[in-house]
Amino acid sequence: MIKLNVVDKVYRTDTIETTALKNINLQVEKGEFLSIMGPSGCGKSTLLNIMGLLDKPSSGKVKIEELEVGTFGDRKLAKIRNRKIGFVFQSFHLINDLSVLDNVEIPLLYRRLSGKERKGRALEVLEKVGLSARVKHFPRQLSGGQCQRVAIARAIVGNPEIILADEPTGNLDSVMGAEIMDILMKLNKEANTTIVMVTHDIHLAEQTQRIIRLFDGSQVM
Amino acid sequence: MLKNYIKLAFKVLLRHKFFTFASLFGISFTLMILLVVTSVFDHILGPTYPETRLRRTLYVMDLEIKGPEITKRGSVGYYFLNKYVKSLKTPEKVAITSFMNRMISYNDQQKLKIIMKFTDSVFWEIMDFNFIDGKPYNNEDVSNVNPVAVINETTSEKFFGEESALGKFIEVDWKKYKVIGVVEDVPILRLLPYSDVWVPVTHTKEDITSYTMEGDYQALILAHTRSDFKKIKQEFKKHLDQVEFLDDQFDSIKGGADTFLESISREMFGFDDSQVYLIIGIMISLMILFMILPALNLVNININRIMERYSEIGVRKSFGASSITLVGQFIVENIILTLIGGGIGLILTIIVLSILNNVEVIPLANFTLNYRIFVFAILISIFFGIFSGVYPAFKMSRLQPVDALRGGQR
């Protein structure tokens, strides 16, 4: 599903060069639920961003469903992100000016769908995450757990095959964190969605099928 | 998608009330000034009543006569116009009219100041006056020095109240004229046709048959089409070459059959160069400069506004928006903002013009917003929207999604 081959990521400024990822080789299979662990600053989020085409590697190859994306332009990358990948961020990244329903509809705006179809699909996924009663609310009127459920609804509304979650429970208490984890587990089992999750929490990571550990930008066993 | 953009645009506008106010104020105020100025220009220079044939009219307004020791520059005498302009073959018609003459008149022993013009009969054929009553004087009236006059509506009311002025007499400069026509008022800014009273040119005190180069007259040359202008100008130049000088004081003459703008350029730059394109260039440059300043300000405001939306940009990119889609979104938002500003500007313009009309800053002036000015306003609004939105939108759309999500930092 996702294949990384000898991926490096180096950040350069005028005076300093920082290696965020070094020689990463990774293959994620379809339907797999994988977690990435490691100390802060070890490159977990960078790896996830490269897998999700939100960032470009300095060298190495990234393949999504056997498609080598290194040479793809902005439009093609945008299309892959739209059709194949859903993101869940630690800080939710909801648009405060839009209602819950409008936030969830965002990925569908970039597809050829009517307003009615978009609304129908968004309501469907909001029901799945238990937020049917909050569709007209705005993000600031919701709790952290509810915000993350909206973010999950937004990530899955376009039926992507891959969900990339960057510390999805990082800003939540343990009860809410467990709720979010349940939703992700259910998605993986019922819809066979491939999920890659960055987490600091070993208890959450242990619930996934495989754990990848990073240290100073390198993969460790 | 557009509905979503519009919805978001209104929310963003409401979120940053001060920015929105500053943007809208900048757009609407600039637009209002521009529209009022163009309305005034349109009023003076546009083909409006009674100069509806302005676009195919040329003018001979002044001359420069040179001699070994002396150079004279000024308006033209009737003799010159009659001999060298009236005789042009290319134009459809040529009329001669005097400049404004301030005269004294009495009505019921009340002293009145009257503007009077001496014209030939062709003047009425080139100008498109609305006759409320009666008709203009004809060539016979001019040749026979018939004491007839055409007056404007205001003069008719001043002298005769509600009654019809036709057949009644009006005394101007101790001479009695029979009113044979009443025309709708002409705004004072239309300098060429404006007057209170028009009488046949043969009533002037000066001897119009004697040799005079200088005087207080001008010629109106109506071409069949604008494409004849060049030919008319060349023919007039040939006529100038044939001018006879009665004494040794002068030996050369310069002048031109000009459009209105060209005659302004002659006033500014003299007779050697009819630099009408320079005038137009200056006017357009000033207008662009006037528009660019608020647009640059808007770019600045927009950069700030967009910088606060890095997270949104990151989210949209993460979920499938391409750079071009985002540029489109921000331009739509900006166009909405500027169209609102344009709308407010238009309303302000209508208010200002109606105030100008009501307080009669310029007598008889009727500044209006016509469809040309309206289209101009809409185009300017869209120009503002695109110009001030493209750069910031392009700048932010180039960000990698991850940089946008981080707040624009690499």
Side-chain angles (χ1 to χ4, degrees):
Chain A
M1 194 80 211
I2 307 171
K3 201 172 176 183
L4 272 65
N5 199 9
V6 209
V7 163
D8 287 342
K9 180 70 183 177
V10 180
Y11 292 104
R12 290 187 181 89
T13 65
D14 293 342
T15 50
I16 201 164
E17 196 176 272
T18 312
T19 303
L21 291 175
K22 212 166 23 188
N23 198 27
I24 301 289
N25 290 294
L26 178 66
Q27 189 161 345
V28 182
E29 301 299 337
K30 185 168 171 53
E32 195 177 2
F33 194 158
L34 179 93
S35 49
I36 303 171
M37 290 197 74
S40 295
C42 69
K44 304 184 294 291
S45 295
T46 305
L47 178 60
L48 198 76
N49 290 335
I50 287 174
M51 289 165 94
L53 316 182
L54 299 181
D55 204 355
K56 286 183 173 170
S58 304
S59 64
K61 284 180 181 171
V62 178
K63 280 186 179 176
I64 304 283
E65 278 191 334
E66 295 306 315
L67 287 171
E68 155 72 73
V69 297
T71 54
F72 284 10
D74 177 68
R75 279 176 127 171
K76 261 188 169 175
L77 290 174
K79 195 171 177 184
I80 294 177
R81 286 196 291 266
N82 182 248
R83 302 294 165 115
K84 299 200 179 295
I85 306 169
F87 297 92
V88 179
F89 304 102
Q90 182 182 359
S91 51
F92 324 131
H93 281 306
L94 298 176
I95 299 173
N96 286 329
D97 289 319
L98 295 180
S99 68
V100 164
L101 185 69
D102 288 337
N103 264 291
V104 174
E105 277 187 34
I106 285 174
L108 305 180
L109 289 175
Y110 308 109
R111 297 186 185 184
R112 287 177 190 274
L113 290 175
S114 68
K116 202 174 161 188
E117 278 176 291
R118 285 202 304 265
K119 192 176 175 185
R121 281 213 208 174
L123 288 172
E124 209 176 289
V125 290
L126 279 167
E127 198 178 332
K128 263 190 196 171
V129 296
L131 283 176
S132 300
R134 298 276 189 271
V135 290
K136 287 185 178 170
H137 283 61
F138 286 86
R140 65 177 73 88
Q141 297 170 307
L142 303 178
S143 69
Q146 286 170 327
C147 281
Q148 198 57 298
R149 279 192 276 160
V150 176
I152 291 174
R154 180 180 61 186
I156 63 173
V157 73
N159 287 326
E161 291 161 70
I162 305 162
I163 297 277
L164 300 176
D166 191 357
E167 299 196 44
T169 60
N171 278 354
L172 307 177
D173 62 34
S174 56
V175 180
M176 283 184 181
E179 262 180 38
I180 296 302
M181 192 60 193
D182 282 348
I183 295 172
L184 292 175
M185 294 290 284
K186 212 171 156 189
L187 266 173
N188 175 245
K189 277 186 189 141
E190 290 177 6
N192 199 32
T193 307
T194 308
I195 301 178
V196 180
M197 176 178 74
V198 164
T199 182
H200 273 112
D201 189 334
I202 185 66
H203 300 296
L204 294 180
E206 279 172 347
Q207 294 177 52
T208 66
Q209 293 158 9
R210 184 154 63 114
I211 301 173
I212 300 288
R213 290 176 199 276
L214 291 182
F215 188 77
D216 275 352
S218 299
Q219 199 173 335
V220 291
M221 296 308 287
Chain B
M1 187 144 71
L2 191 65
K3 194 176 150 195
N4 196 280
Y5 287 173
I6 293 170
K7 204 194 273 183
L8 194 66
F10 279 103
K11 288 196 172 144
V12 171
L13 295 185
L14 290 173
R15 183 172 59 191
H16 300 290
K17 291 189 179 70
F18 180 73
F19 277 162
T20 305
F21 167 76
S23 304
L24 287 179
F25 181 79
I27 299 164
S28 54
F29 197 75
T30 309
L31 206 62
M32 181 201 77
I33 302 274
L34 215 56
L35 284 180
V36 169
V37 169
T38 48
S39 176
V40 172
F41 267 98
D42 195 57
H43 189 72
I44 301 169
L45 302 172
T48 55
Y49 174 79
E51 292 176 275
T52 51
R53 301 182 184 104
L54 186 98
R55 296 213 188 281
R56 52 188 182 103
T57 308
L58 291 172
Y59 305 88
V60 178
M61 289 187 177
D62 48 13
L63 287 175
E64 188 180 277
I65 324 167
K66 263 188 174 174
E69 286 172 7
I70 192 166
T71 300
K72 275 190 176 179
R73 189 175 156 189
S75 51
V76 196
Y78 183 88
Y79 172 87
F80 172 86
L81 294 173
N82 194 39
K83 184 162 184 188
Y84 298 106
V85 185
K86 271 270 187 187
S87 55
L88 291 172
K89 298 276 180 283
T90 322
E92 186 183 325
K93 281 167 188 167
V94 178
I96 298 175
T97 171
S98 70
F99 287 104
M100 291 184 212
N101 293 280
R102 290 182 191 282
M103 304 289 197
I104 300 295
S105 178
Y106 286 90
N107 183 32
D108 288 340
Q109 296 180 340
Q110 192 192 345
K111 189 178 170 185
L112 294 170
K113 283 178 185 165
I114 293 279
I115 301 287
M116 187 183 226
K117 272 187 178 164
F118 300 94
T119 78
D120 60 10
S121 58
V122 187
F123 174 78
W124 300 104
E125 293 166 27
I126 293 181
M127 293 290 169
D128 191 17
F129 279 95
N130 289 340
F131 273 80
I132 297 166
D133 230 346
K135 56 179 176 37
Y137 40 82
N138 55 30
N139 197 31
E140 209 180 320
D141 291 321
V142 177
S143 308
N144 297 340
V145 203
N146 289 342
V148 290
V150 174
I151 61 175
N152 70 0
E153 217 179 337
T154 304
T155 309
S156 172
E157 277 168 23
K158 267 189 205 166
F159 280 83
F160 312 108
E162 297 286 299
E163 286 177 43
S164 169
L166 279 197
K168 297 200 168 74
F169 285 87
I170 183 168
E171 189 179 322
V172 185
D173 201 27
W174 317 112
K175 220 171 182 181
K176 275 193 171 179
Y177 298 92
K178 186 179 171 186
V179 177
I180 60 164
V182 179
V183 293
E184 198 179 291
D185 285 335
V186 177
I188 196 164
L189 290 176
R190 308 299 308 206
L191 295 172
L192 244 136
Y194 177 80
S195 189
D196 297 319
V197 179
W198 297 263
V199 297
V201 67
T202 39
H203 281 286
T204 180
K205 282 178 182 169
E206 64 198 276
D207 179 9
I208 55 173
T209 55
S210 70
Y211 179 94
T212 44
M213 295 297 233
E214 304 146 69
D216 287 322
Y217 291 88
Q218 56 200 321
L220 283 69
I221 304 170
L222 184 70
H224 291 282
T225 63
R226 280 180 72 86
S227 56
D228 283 347
F229 278 7
K230 201 176 169 188
K231 218 171 150 191
I232 294 170
K233 284 164 187 260
Q234 282 168 349
E235 195 189 348
F236 180 59
K237 209 161 181 252
K238 271 185 197 164
H239 282 213
L240 281 181
D241 293 339
Q242 293 160 13
V243 169
E244 293 163 15
F245 297 98
L246 290 188
D247 53 46
D248 295 337
Q249 202 181 2
F250 301 107
D251 53 23
S252 71
I253 186 164
K254 276 182 186 169
D258 301 324
T259 59
F260 198 77
L261 268 179
E262 282 169 337
S263 58
I264 294 171
S265 96
R266 277 196 195 282
E267 286 291 321
M268 289 172 72
F269 299 105
F271 280 83
D272 289 332
D273 265 315
S274 175
Q275 301 184 49
V276 71
Y277 292 111
L278 185 65
I279 289 224
I280 293 170
I282 290 170
M283 282 168 74
I284 291 174
S285 307
L286 285 174
M287 209 175 256
I288 289 174
L289 191 71
F290 190 66
M291 288 189 295
I292 276 181
L293 292 177
L296 284 176
N297 189 32
L298 273 185
V299 171
N300 195 27
I301 290 175
N302 278 331
I303 289 173
N304 286 328
R305 194 197 281 271
I306 286 172
M307 271 166 68
E308 289 187 355
R309 294 171 69 185
Y310 274 125
S311 169
E312 180 194 331
I313 294 158
V315 168
R316 289 187 182 274
K317 284 201 151 194
S318 305
F319 287 99
S322 63
S323 296
I324 196 89
T325 316
L326 284 173
V327 170
Q329 178 193 339
F330 281 93
I331 287 177
V332 166
E333 282 183 21
N334 253 36
I335 287 178
I336 290 169
L337 176 77
T338 48
L339 283 179
I340 295 171
I344 296 171
L346 264 179
I347 294 166
L348 287 176
T349 309
I350 291 166
I351 294 169
V352 169
L353 290 181
S354 103
I355 292 170
L356 286 177
N357 288 337
N358 284 332
V359 297
E360 293 215 342
V361 177
I362 297 150
L364 302 177
N366 184 25
F367 300 114
T368 51
L369 257 182
N370 63 24
Y371 74 95
R372 278 178 293 142
I373 297 178
F374 183 76
V375 169
F376 185 59
I378 297 295
L379 288 177
I380 288 177
S381 297
I382 292 171
F383 166 81
F384 269 119
I386 294 173
F387 183 81
S388 62
V390 165
Y391 174 69
F394 179 74
K395 194 171 175 242
M396 64 77 206
S397 73
R398 304 284 298 167
L399 288 172
Q400 285 291 332
V402 68
D403 295 323
L405 285 168
R406 278 190 208 130
Q409 293 165 346
R410 275 177 194 278

